[in-house]
Amino acid sequence: SLISANKATGNSEGLTLAGGQFGSDGNRITGNTASRNRSAGIGVVDGADDNVVSGNVASENKGPIGKGGGIYVASSTGNRLLANTANGNLDTGIAIFEETTGDAAGNSLEANTAKGNKNHGIEAVTGSLDGGGNRASGNAVQPQCVNVACSA
């Protein structure tokens, strides 16, 4: 399925793709804007595998640390985060988290930008794939990026 050209603003969470019993695999989330939501902007969670998240903007999402990032993948594998922008969020701009060791392996990050977030710019778990071209600057917590290389 294609999830494209949506604007999610002022919601509890912007856009969420969840796995679960029937799964949410092989989707494209592209060209969306998720801003000023009470939690995170865009989430790919709980076994939603092999999706492409590209060309999205997630900014000024307001959830607390651990719940207020721009774009995040949690407990899902094989997703590709490509050319997204996450600025001014109250948590990490773009993140890949695991609940148990290895349940978020094989996700890739390429050509993403994160600026002015209140945590790291980009944070990935061990086992994430660095596709290069990621950029981060002006984020509150050093290093700007964790487990991926970033330029300013």
Side-chain angles (χ1 to χ4, degrees):
S1 295
L2 173 64
I3 302 164
S4 181
N6 295 287
K7 291 184 188 218
T9 301
N11 301 297
S12 177
E13 186 156 329
L15 301 168
T16 303
L17 188 60
Q21 181 179 2
F22 300 107
S24 288
D25 300 344
N27 299 288
R28 290 181 298 140
I29 302 174
T30 185
N32 300 288
T33 300
S35 299
R36 296 184 201 96
N37 295 292
R38 290 184 300 277
S39 184
I42 298 172
V44 178
V45 302
D46 299 331
D49 301 328
D50 303 315
N51 299 289
V52 176
V53 180
S54 64
N56 299 290
V57 175
S59 59
E60 299 177 23
N61 292 290
K62 301 175 182 184
I65 298 294
K67 298 185 186 239
I71 299 170
Y72 74 102
V73 173
S75 303
S76 300
T77 62
N79 295 289
R80 183 175 184 209
L81 280 64
L82 171 66
N84 298 290
T85 300
N87 296 336
N89 296 288
L90 289 184
D91 196 4
T92 299
I94 299 171
I96 298 176
F97 299 120
E98 59 190 3
E99 194 167 309
T100 59
T101 302
D103 73 358
N107 294 296
S108 67
L109 296 122
E110 180 181 348
N112 297 290
T113 301
K115 296 180 180 177
N117 298 289
K118 300 296 182 193
N119 203 331
H120 299 288
I122 302 174
E123 181 177 1
V125 297
T126 301
S128 299
L129 307 173
D130 185 349
N134 295 299
R135 302 172 61 89
S137 62
N139 299 290
V141 177
Q142 297 296 325
Q144 293 292 300
C145 294
V146 177
N147 289 326
V148 292
C150 287
S151 61

mmCIF file of all heavy atoms in Angstrom, residues 36-41 58-71 86-93 115-120 139-141:
data_model
loop_
_atom_site.group_PDB
_atom_site.id
_atom_site.type_symbol
_atom_site.label_atom_id
_atom_site.label_comp_id
_atom_site.label_asym_id
_atom_site.label_seq_id
_atom_site.Cartn_x
_atom_site.Cartn_y
_atom_site.Cartn_z
ATOM 1 N N ARG A 36 3.769 18.743 15.095
ATOM 2 C CA ARG A 36 3.074 19.246 16.284
ATOM 3 C C ARG A 36 2.085 18.246 16.866
ATOM 4 O O ARG A 36 1.037 18.619 17.390
ATOM 5 C CB ARG A 36 2.396 20.572 15.986
ATOM 6 C CG ARG A 36 3.382 21.671 15.651
ATOM 7 C CD ARG A 36 2.675 23.017 15.450
ATOM 8 N NE ARG A 36 3.523 23.902 14.683
ATOM 9 C CZ ARG A 36 3.442 24.066 13.366
ATOM 10 N NH1 ARG A 36 2.525 23.437 12.671
ATOM 11 N NH2 ARG A 36 4.269 24.882 12.752
ATOM 12 N N ASN A 37 2.392 16.959 16.755
ATOM 13 C CA ASN A 37 1.564 15.940 17.387
ATOM 14 C C ASN A 37 1.978 15.805 18.853
ATOM 15 O O ASN A 37 3.096 16.139 19.220
ATOM 16 C CB ASN A 37 1.713 14.621 16.633
ATOM 17 C CG ASN A 37 1.159 14.754 15.229
ATOM 18 O OD1 ASN A 37 -0.040 14.904 15.049
ATOM 19 N ND2 ASN A 37 2.029 14.742 14.237
ATOM 20 N N ARG A 38 1.074 15.318 19.695
ATOM 21 C CA ARG A 38 1.356 15.225 21.129
ATOM 22 C C ARG A 38 2.386 14.152 21.458
ATOM 23 O O ARG A 38 2.976 14.171 22.531
ATOM 24 C CB ARG A 38 0.063 14.984 21.908
ATOM 25 C CG ARG A 38 -0.844 16.212 21.898
ATOM 26 C CD ARG A 38 -2.080 16.034 22.747
ATOM 27 N NE ARG A 38 -2.939 14.937 22.343
ATOM 28 C CZ ARG A 38 -3.847 14.997 21.370
ATOM 29 N NH1 ARG A 38 -3.996 16.118 20.673
ATOM 30 N NH2 ARG A 38 -4.593 13.962 21.090
ATOM 31 N N SER A 39 2.610 13.200 20.574
ATOM 32 C CA SER A 39 3.611 12.160 20.786
ATOM 33 C C SER A 39 4.608 12.242 19.636
ATOM 34 O O SER A 39 5.249 13.252 19.467
ATOM 35 C CB SER A 39 2.929 10.790 20.883
ATOM 36 O OG SER A 39 3.855 9.789 21.186
ATOM 37 N N ALA A 40 4.716 11.207 18.836
ATOM 38 C CA ALA A 40 5.677 11.178 17.737
ATOM 39 C C ALA A 40 5.018 11.524 16.406
ATOM 40 O O ALA A 40 3.794 11.542 16.281
ATOM 41 C CB ALA A 40 6.319 9.806 17.653
ATOM 42 N N GLY A 41 5.865 11.765 15.409
ATOM 43 C CA GLY A 41 5.370 12.105 14.079
ATOM 44 C C GLY A 41 4.973 10.891 13.266
ATOM 45 O O GLY A 41 3.820 10.723 12.898
ATOM 46 N N ALA A 58 8.870 15.414 9.569
ATOM 47 C CA ALA A 58 8.297 15.275 10.912
ATOM 48 C C ALA A 58 8.960 16.328 11.789
ATOM 49 O O ALA A 58 10.144 16.245 12.080
ATOM 50 C CB ALA A 58 8.531 13.882 11.457
ATOM 51 N N SER A 59 8.198 17.323 12.196
ATOM 52 C CA SER A 59 8.789 18.425 12.949
ATOM 53 C C SER A 59 7.908 18.843 14.118
ATOM 54 O O SER A 59 6.684 18.715 14.076
ATOM 55 C CB SER A 59 9.044 19.620 12.039
ATOM 56 O OG SER A 59 7.834 20.055 11.450
ATOM 57 N N GLU A 60 8.587 19.321 15.153
ATOM 58 C CA GLU A 60 7.947 19.908 16.327
ATOM 59 C C GLU A 60 6.945 18.988 17.006
ATOM 60 O O GLU A 60 5.930 19.441 17.549
ATOM 61 C CB GLU A 60 7.298 21.240 15.958
ATOM 62 C CG GLU A 60 8.304 22.255 15.447
ATOM 63 C CD GLU A 60 7.656 23.561 15.015
ATOM 64 O OE1 GLU A 60 6.540 23.865 15.478
ATOM 65 O OE2 GLU A 60 8.275 24.262 14.214
ATOM 66 N N ASN A 61 7.207 17.683 16.986
ATOM 67 C CA ASN A 61 6.357 16.752 17.730
ATOM 68 C C ASN A 61 6.701 16.870 19.203
ATOM 69 O O ASN A 61 7.852 17.061 19.568
ATOM 70 C CB ASN A 61 6.516 15.346 17.172
ATOM 71 C CG ASN A 61 5.933 15.289 15.769
ATOM 72 O OD1 ASN A 61 4.731 15.365 15.596
ATOM 73 N ND2 ASN A 61 6.798 15.196 14.766
ATOM 74 N N LYS A 62 5.698 16.786 20.082
ATOM 75 C CA LYS A 62 5.817 17.301 21.436
ATOM 76 C C LYS A 62 5.866 16.280 22.552
ATOM 77 O O LYS A 62 5.835 16.649 23.720
ATOM 78 C CB LYS A 62 4.654 18.256 21.688
ATOM 79 C CG LYS A 62 4.628 19.400 20.708
ATOM 80 C CD LYS A 62 3.418 20.269 20.900
ATOM 81 C CE LYS A 62 3.424 21.377 19.863
ATOM 82 N NZ LYS A 62 2.337 22.306 20.056
ATOM 83 N N GLY A 63 5.915 15.013 22.261
ATOM 84 C CA GLY A 63 5.963 14.022 23.336
ATOM 85 C C GLY A 63 7.263 14.116 24.114
ATOM 86 O O GLY A 63 8.263 14.638 23.634
ATOM 87 N N PRO A 64 7.275 13.612 25.344
ATOM 88 C CA PRO A 64 8.483 13.665 26.176
ATOM 89 C C PRO A 64 9.569 12.728 25.644
ATOM 90 O O PRO A 64 9.317 11.917 24.754
ATOM 91 C CB PRO A 64 7.980 13.210 27.545
ATOM 92 C CG PRO A 64 6.829 12.308 27.221
ATOM 93 C CD PRO A 64 6.181 12.915 25.998
ATOM 94 N N ILE A 65 10.749 12.825 26.225
ATOM 95 C CA ILE A 65 11.854 11.946 25.835
ATOM 96 C C ILE A 65 11.366 10.498 25.870
ATOM 97 O O ILE A 65 10.754 10.059 26.828
ATOM 98 C CB ILE A 65 13.065 12.141 26.765
ATOM 99 C CG1 ILE A 65 13.592 13.564 26.657
ATOM 100 C CG2 ILE A 65 14.153 11.121 26.485
ATOM 101 C CD1 ILE A 65 14.179 13.935 25.324
ATOM 102 N N GLY A 66 11.630 9.782 24.793
ATOM 103 C CA GLY A 66 11.166 8.413 24.650
ATOM 104 C C GLY A 66 9.836 8.310 23.922
ATOM 105 O O GLY A 66 9.423 7.246 23.493
ATOM 106 N N LYS A 67 9.138 9.437 23.748
ATOM 107 C CA LYS A 67 7.831 9.400 23.107
ATOM 108 C C LYS A 67 7.569 10.571 22.173
ATOM 109 O O LYS A 67 6.475 10.713 21.668
ATOM 110 C CB LYS A 67 6.736 9.375 24.169
ATOM 111 C CG LYS A 67 6.804 8.156 25.044
ATOM 112 C CD LYS A 67 5.641 8.091 25.992
ATOM 113 C CE LYS A 67 5.855 6.938 26.931
ATOM 114 N NZ LYS A 67 4.844 5.967 26.913
ATOM 115 N N GLY A 68 8.567 11.415 21.945
ATOM 116 C CA GLY A 68 8.311 12.615 21.168
ATOM 117 C C GLY A 68 9.212 12.814 19.986
ATOM 118 O O GLY A 68 9.557 13.929 19.636
ATOM 119 N N GLY A 69 9.616 11.721 19.352
ATOM 120 C CA GLY A 69 10.514 11.836 18.221
ATOM 121 C C GLY A 69 9.803 12.170 16.925
ATOM 122 O O GLY A 69 8.576 12.190 16.844
ATOM 123 N N GLY A 70 10.618 12.431 15.917
ATOM 124 C CA GLY A 70 10.067 12.739 14.607
ATOM 125 C C GLY A 70 9.611 11.493 13.880
ATOM 126 O O GLY A 70 8.433 11.290 13.629
ATOM 127 N N ILE A 71 10.573 10.616 13.554
ATOM 128 C CA ILE A 71 10.292 9.377 12.824
ATOM 129 C C ILE A 71 11.002 8.256 13.562
ATOM 130 O O ILE A 71 12.183 8.364 13.882
ATOM 131 C CB ILE A 71 10.809 9.470 11.375
ATOM 132 C CG1 ILE A 71 10.103 10.620 10.641
ATOM 133 C CG2 ILE A 71 10.622 8.141 10.648
ATOM 134 C CD1 ILE A 71 10.697 10.964 9.290
ATOM 135 N N ALA A 86 13.627 15.513 9.955
ATOM 136 C CA ALA A 86 13.024 15.570 11.287
ATOM 137 C C ALA A 86 13.705 16.687 12.070
ATOM 138 O O ALA A 86 14.856 16.553 12.489
ATOM 139 C CB ALA A 86 13.177 14.236 12.000
ATOM 140 N N ASN A 87 13.006 17.792 12.262
ATOM 141 C CA ASN A 87 13.578 18.970 12.914
ATOM 142 C C ASN A 87 12.718 19.434 14.080
ATOM 143 O O ASN A 87 11.486 19.411 14.003
ATOM 144 C CB ASN A 87 13.693 20.124 11.917
ATOM 145 C CG ASN A 87 14.639 19.827 10.777
ATOM 146 O OD1 ASN A 87 15.529 18.998 10.886
ATOM 147 N ND2 ASN A 87 14.438 20.508 9.664
ATOM 148 N N GLY A 88 13.375 19.863 15.160
ATOM 149 C CA GLY A 88 12.701 20.524 16.258
ATOM 150 C C GLY A 88 11.779 19.658 17.089
ATOM 151 O O GLY A 88 10.848 20.161 17.714
ATOM 152 N N ASN A 89 12.012 18.348 17.128
ATOM 153 C CA ASN A 89 11.195 17.452 17.943
ATOM 154 C C ASN A 89 11.712 17.425 19.384
ATOM 155 O O ASN A 89 12.880 17.700 19.633
ATOM 156 C CB ASN A 89 11.224 16.048 17.347
ATOM 157 C CG ASN A 89 10.602 16.034 15.969
ATOM 158 O OD1 ASN A 89 9.401 16.163 15.819
ATOM 159 N ND2 ASN A 89 11.438 15.916 14.938
ATOM 160 N N LEU A 90 10.846 17.076 20.334
ATOM 161 C CA LEU A 90 11.252 17.057 21.741
ATOM 162 C C LEU A 90 12.022 15.801 22.126
ATOM 163 O O LEU A 90 12.423 15.668 23.275
ATOM 164 C CB LEU A 90 10.034 17.230 22.655
ATOM 165 C CG LEU A 90 9.427 18.624 22.650
ATOM 166 C CD1 LEU A 90 8.303 18.729 23.659
ATOM 167 C CD2 LEU A 90 10.466 19.694 22.929
ATOM 168 N N ASP A 91 12.220 14.880 21.198
ATOM 169 C CA ASP A 91 13.051 13.692 21.430
ATOM 170 C C ASP A 91 13.987 13.564 20.225
ATOM 171 O O ASP A 91 14.260 14.541 19.535
ATOM 172 C CB ASP A 91 12.156 12.465 21.599
ATOM 173 C CG ASP A 91 12.872 11.262 22.224
ATOM 174 O OD1 ASP A 91 14.049 11.383 22.597
ATOM 175 O OD2 ASP A 91 12.246 10.203 22.338
ATOM 176 N N THR A 92 14.469 12.374 19.948
ATOM 177 C CA THR A 92 15.366 12.123 18.821
ATOM 178 C C THR A 92 14.639 12.403 17.504
ATOM 179 O O THR A 92 13.454 12.088 17.359
ATOM 180 C CB THR A 92 15.853 10.665 18.874
ATOM 181 O OG1 THR A 92 16.555 10.472 20.095
ATOM 182 C CG2 THR A 92 16.768 10.341 17.707
ATOM 183 N N GLY A 93 15.361 12.967 16.557
ATOM 184 C CA GLY A 93 14.767 13.260 15.256
ATOM 185 C C GLY A 93 14.321 12.010 14.528
ATOM 186 O O GLY A 93 13.155 11.864 14.166
ATOM 187 N N LYS A 115 17.712 18.142 12.520
ATOM 188 C CA LYS A 115 18.289 19.364 13.089
ATOM 189 C C LYS A 115 17.436 19.871 14.245
ATOM 190 O O LYS A 115 16.203 19.820 14.185
ATOM 191 C CB LYS A 115 18.369 20.467 12.027
ATOM 192 C CG LYS A 115 19.286 20.143 10.882
ATOM 193 C CD LYS A 115 19.316 21.274 9.872
ATOM 194 C CE LYS A 115 20.250 20.927 8.727
ATOM 195 N NZ LYS A 115 20.253 21.972 7.711
ATOM 196 N N GLY A 116 18.109 20.375 15.277
ATOM 197 C CA GLY A 116 17.430 21.076 16.357
ATOM 198 C C GLY A 116 16.500 20.244 17.209
ATOM 199 O O GLY A 116 15.570 20.774 17.805
ATOM 200 N N ASN A 117 16.745 18.938 17.298
ATOM 201 C CA ASN A 117 15.934 18.079 18.154
ATOM 202 C C ASN A 117 16.476 18.109 19.582
ATOM 203 O O ASN A 117 17.638 18.423 19.801
ATOM 204 C CB ASN A 117 15.931 16.655 17.601
ATOM 205 C CG ASN A 117 15.303 16.617 16.220
ATOM 206 O OD1 ASN A 117 14.109 16.787 16.071
ATOM 207 N ND2 ASN A 117 16.122 16.419 15.188
ATOM 208 N N LYS A 118 15.658 17.771 20.562
ATOM 209 C CA LYS A 118 16.052 17.867 21.974
ATOM 210 C C LYS A 118 16.801 16.637 22.479
ATOM 211 O O LYS A 118 17.158 16.568 23.643
ATOM 212 C CB LYS A 118 14.827 18.110 22.857
ATOM 213 C CG LYS A 118 14.090 19.382 22.534
ATOM 214 C CD LYS A 118 14.947 20.595 22.809
ATOM 215 C CE LYS A 118 14.157 21.863 22.522
ATOM 216 N NZ LYS A 118 14.991 23.033 22.463
ATOM 217 N N ASN A 119 17.039 15.648 21.614
ATOM 218 C CA ASN A 119 17.854 14.484 21.949
ATOM 219 C C ASN A 119 18.853 14.339 20.794
ATOM 220 O O ASN A 119 19.232 15.340 20.203
ATOM 221 C CB ASN A 119 16.949 13.256 22.126
ATOM 222 C CG ASN A 119 17.566 12.169 22.989
ATOM 223 O OD1 ASN A 119 18.776 12.014 23.042
ATOM 224 N ND2 ASN A 119 16.726 11.411 23.659
ATOM 225 N N HIS A 120 19.275 13.135 20.457
ATOM 226 C CA HIS A 120 20.160 12.941 19.310
ATOM 227 C C HIS A 120 19.433 13.314 18.021
ATOM 228 O O HIS A 120 18.208 13.300 17.962
ATOM 229 C CB HIS A 120 20.596 11.475 19.208
ATOM 230 C CG HIS A 120 21.351 10.971 20.389
ATOM 231 N ND1 HIS A 120 22.639 11.342 20.669
ATOM 232 C CD2 HIS A 120 20.982 10.128 21.378
ATOM 233 C CE1 HIS A 120 23.047 10.739 21.767
ATOM 234 N NE2 HIS A 120 22.062 10.006 22.231
ATOM 235 N N ASN A 139 21.440 19.426 17.351
ATOM 236 C CA ASN A 139 20.632 18.616 18.258
ATOM 237 C C ASN A 139 21.209 18.720 19.663
ATOM 238 O O ASN A 139 22.403 18.917 19.841
ATOM 239 C CB ASN A 139 20.587 17.177 17.771
ATOM 240 C CG ASN A 139 19.957 17.101 16.389
ATOM 241 O OD1 ASN A 139 18.774 17.321 16.226
ATOM 242 N ND2 ASN A 139 20.774 16.824 15.379
ATOM 243 N N ALA A 140 20.386 18.586 20.691
ATOM 244 C CA ALA A 140 20.788 18.888 22.062
ATOM 245 C C ALA A 140 21.755 17.875 22.666
ATOM 246 O O ALA A 140 22.559 18.224 23.519
ATOM 247 C CB ALA A 140 19.552 19.011 22.953
ATOM 248 N N VAL A 141 21.689 16.612 22.253
ATOM 249 C CA VAL A 141 22.503 15.566 22.879
ATOM 250 C C VAL A 141 23.591 15.111 21.919
ATOM 251 O O VAL A 141 23.325 14.852 20.743
ATOM 252 C CB VAL A 141 21.621 14.376 23.322
ATOM 253 C CG1 VAL A 141 22.447 13.260 23.905
ATOM 254 C CG2 VAL A 141 20.573 14.847 24.329
#
